[in-house]
């Protein structure tokens, strides 16, 4: 998926999450889920996250696209890292936003392997990245977010 679709999914996941979890900083939480939703693409050289932060670009030279960065392991790692220093709300937001990226990429034809590199749990869908269907999904996600909010 493209970066704006990822952010849309991340924001929707954040908006839904604040109705399930007792979140203190709700606006910040949703900003973070939206931001965390583009983190996984550090493994793609031209991604938005690597345009914002060129320092993360090394990851795209070392790791293959949709490899380990598109698995559940960075989700678990980031969650443990933030919660171990008491940043529980940030840990939750990052885990939810990052997971939303994995979910939305799993809807694409290329799919993701959620257990990369230790095993295979490949999930894929029918959406072509950058195709008409992605724009429709983007529109639906933005629309649903609006409905959840109001
Ligand atoms: Zn991705």
């Amino acid at each position: 998926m493209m970066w704006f679709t990822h952010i849309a999914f991340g924001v929707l996941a954040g908006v839904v999450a604040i109705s399930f979890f007792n979140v203190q900083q709700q606006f910040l939480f949703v900003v973070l889920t939206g931001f965390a939703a583009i983190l996984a693409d550090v493994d793609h050289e031209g991604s938005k996250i690597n345009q914002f932060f060129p320092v993360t670009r090394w990851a795209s030279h070392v790791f293959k696209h949709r490899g380990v960065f598109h698995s559940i392991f960075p989700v678990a790692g980031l969650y443990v890292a933030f919660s171990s220093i008491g940043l529980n709300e940030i840990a939750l937001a990052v885990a939810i936003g990052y997971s939303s990226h994995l979910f939305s990429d799993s809807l694409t034809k290329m799919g993701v392997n959620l257990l990369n590199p230790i095993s295979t749990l490949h999930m894929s869908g029918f959406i072509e990245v950058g195709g008409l269907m992605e724009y429709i999904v983007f529109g639906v996600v933005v629309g649903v977010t609006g409905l959840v909010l109001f």
Side-chain angles (χ1 to χ4, degrees), residues 29-108:
F29 188 88
V30 173
V31 169
L32 257 179
T33 57
F35 174 71
I38 60 170
L39 287 180
D41 282 339
V42 290
D43 64 10
H44 186 286
E45 184 165 19
S47 65
K48 264 295 161 217
I49 185 76
N50 285 339
Q51 289 172 26
F52 285 146
F53 304 109
V55 69
T56 59
R57 205 169 287 163
W58 65 270
S60 67
H61 298 294
V62 180
F63 299 96
K64 81 176 193 4
H65 183 45
R66 296 206 185 182
V68 67
F69 277 97
H70 282 68
S71 75
I72 60 170
F73 302 112
V75 179
L78 288 167
Y79 183 82
V80 169
F82 282 114
S83 56
S84 68
I85 52 172
L87 300 173
N88 296 331
E89 215 153 85
I90 292 176
L92 186 64
V94 169
I96 288 171
Y98 205 113
S99 300
S100 79
H101 185 112
L102 303 181
F103 171 75
S104 47
D105 270 353
S106 77
L107 302 175
T108 64

Side-chain angles (χ1 to χ4, degrees), residues 111-132:
V112 287
N113 174 12
L114 295 176
L115 294 178
N116 186 294
I118 60 162
S119 187
T120 304
L121 179 60
H122 194 261
M123 295 174 65
S124 60
F126 57 90
I127 296 172
E128 195 83 62
V129 175
L132 175 65

